[in-house]
């Protein structure tokens, strides 16, 4: 009995020791890592324009200007590869009685093109004369007052022949008639016939 009591007392002492209240240490607060900001978009990469948006160059469309005798003239956006007939449909069709004899409706359009219907297309701006291939003057050229540049606007008259005309004018105190042009070095009968109606003394 004494042994049993000793063993029981040992178990009781162990149970009391294990079940005694203990001081609990609060957990350490771990500092959170600083938030890493998201990188800004690269300055060299502009946002991509959405398909069909203004300024988009890869949306598979072209812009054409339809003017003249159509029901809805103006700027129209068409699919790439469209033809003149497609532009006319986008512009509401051609007005009744319009002459379309010189209009090729099967021609493929290009971006930025102008389609003019039923009226003469605007003439391109005139450029300056290049060498001897200058455009003819608006009216008869005065042989007694024209400059070398003005003489070069006449057909077949280049810098050399224009200088010959100026030399003759200075030597003979001007031209008294158009026929004196025959006496200028370099002007034969054929060239005189071409210039006769384009000049005056």
């Amino acid at each position: 009995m004494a042994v049993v009591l000793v063993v029981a007392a040992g178990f009781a002492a162990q149970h009391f020791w294990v079940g005694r209240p203990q001081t609990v240490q609060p957990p350490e607060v771990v500092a959170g890592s600083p938030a890493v900001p998201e990188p800004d978009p690269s300055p060299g990469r502009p946002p991509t324009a959405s398909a069909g948006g203004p300024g988009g160059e890869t949306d598979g469309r072209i812009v054409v200007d339809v003017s003249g005798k159509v029901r809805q003239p103006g700027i129209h956006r068409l699919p790439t590869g469209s033809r003149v007939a497609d532009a006319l449909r986008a512009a509401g069709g051609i007005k009744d009685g319009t002459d379309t004899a010189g209009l090729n409706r099967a021609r493929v359009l290009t971006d930025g093109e102008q389609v003019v219907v039923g009226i003469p297309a605007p003439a391109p701006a005139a450029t300056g004369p290049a060498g001897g291939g200058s455009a003819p003057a608006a009216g008869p050229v005065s042989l007694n007052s024209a400059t070398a540049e003005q003489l070069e606007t006449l057909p077949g008259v280049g810098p050399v022949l224009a200088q010959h005309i100026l030399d003759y004018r200075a030597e003979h105190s001007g031209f008294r008639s158009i026929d004196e042009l025959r006496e200028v070095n370099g002007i034969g009968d054929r060239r005189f016939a071409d210039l006769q109606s384009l000049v005056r003394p």
Side-chain angles (χ1 to χ4, degrees), residues 90 131 139 155 162 179 183 193:
D179 292 335
E183 301 176 17

Side-chain angles (χ1 to χ4, degrees), residues 62 78-83 86 108-109:
I62 60 173
L78 302 170
T80 300
S82 297
R83 301 179 183 269
D86 300 319
V108 178
L109 297 167

Side-chain angles (χ1 to χ4, degrees), residues 177-198:
S177 68
I178 297 176
D179 292 335
E180 291 185 19
L181 196 59
R182 296 175 182 268
E183 301 176 17
V184 175
N185 184 21
I187 296 182
D189 292 339
R190 182 174 180 179
R191 182 158 297 171
F192 175 78
D194 293 336
L195 299 176
Q196 185 175 8
S197 60
L198 303 175

Side-chain angles (χ1 to χ4, degrees), residues 23-85:
T23 303
V24 179
Q25 296 292 337
E28 295 182 2
V29 178
V30 179
S33 59
V36 179
E38 296 184 1
D40 294 333
S42 172
R45 297 287 300 276
T48 303
S50 60
E57 297 180 359
T58 58
D59 58 358
R61 302 179 74 82
I62 60 173
V63 179
V64 295
D65 179 12
V66 185
S67 61
K69 297 182 179 181
V70 292
R71 293 185 174 86
Q72 298 175 5
I75 303 296
H76 298 278
R77 295 178 63 86
L78 302 170
T80 300
S82 297
R83 301 179 183 269
V84 172

